[in-house]
Amino acid sequence: MKLLLVCLSIAFLPYFVKAQDIEVKKLEPLEKDQTAALSPRKDINGVTCGLVKVLLKEPGAEFEGSVMGDVQFTGKEYLVYLPNGTKRLGIKHPDYLPTTIVFADYGTKKVASATTYG
């Protein structure tokens, strides 16, 4: 029985080791980055969205919340458009544990229209 438990533990070890937390280093308006204003996306009410740039080099991330349109992956970051007033963003990736980013935890109460965050 002990041998079976040891074998099962070793077999499942890669699944436990693989998952990591997504680390949020900062979330602040990027004053000099005009991507949200120069490449705008509108919400269903015609209001320009804000843009959150998520630096994650691995493809395959999915985003949950009030995401407007398709998320673009540039090879080094994801461009996630969110409606004005959005307060959180969920991120899922096969190599990481799912996480929800609450903007207020990083000094940003909510996404502002035509503003880029990073």
Side-chain angles (χ1 to χ4, degrees), residues 30-72:
L30 302 175
E31 308 261 334
K32 295 182 181 182
D33 189 331
Q34 297 297 310
T35 307
L38 297 175
S39 298
R41 190 172 289 181
K42 306 281 186 180
D43 67 12
I44 59 172
N45 296 315
V47 178
T48 302
C49 294
L51 172 63
V52 176
K53 290 186 171 184
V54 179
L55 298 176
L56 185 62
K57 295 180 182 180
E58 295 87 4
E62 295 178 16
F63 298 88
E64 297 178 336
S66 302
V67 178
M68 298 305 301
D70 294 331
V71 173
Q72 300 169 11

Side-chain angles (χ1 to χ4, degrees), residues 24-30 51-54 82 86-89 101-111 116-118:
V24 180
K25 293 186 178 181
K26 66 177 183 169
L27 178 67
E28 58 189 25
L30 302 175
L51 172 63
V52 176
K53 290 186 171 184
V54 179
L82 301 170
T86 301
K87 298 179 180 180
R88 65 186 70 221
L89 175 65
I101 300 167
V102 178
F103 299 150
D105 292 346
Y106 300 92
T108 300
K109 287 186 179 183
K110 57 186 176 181
V111 170
T116 304
Y117 298 86

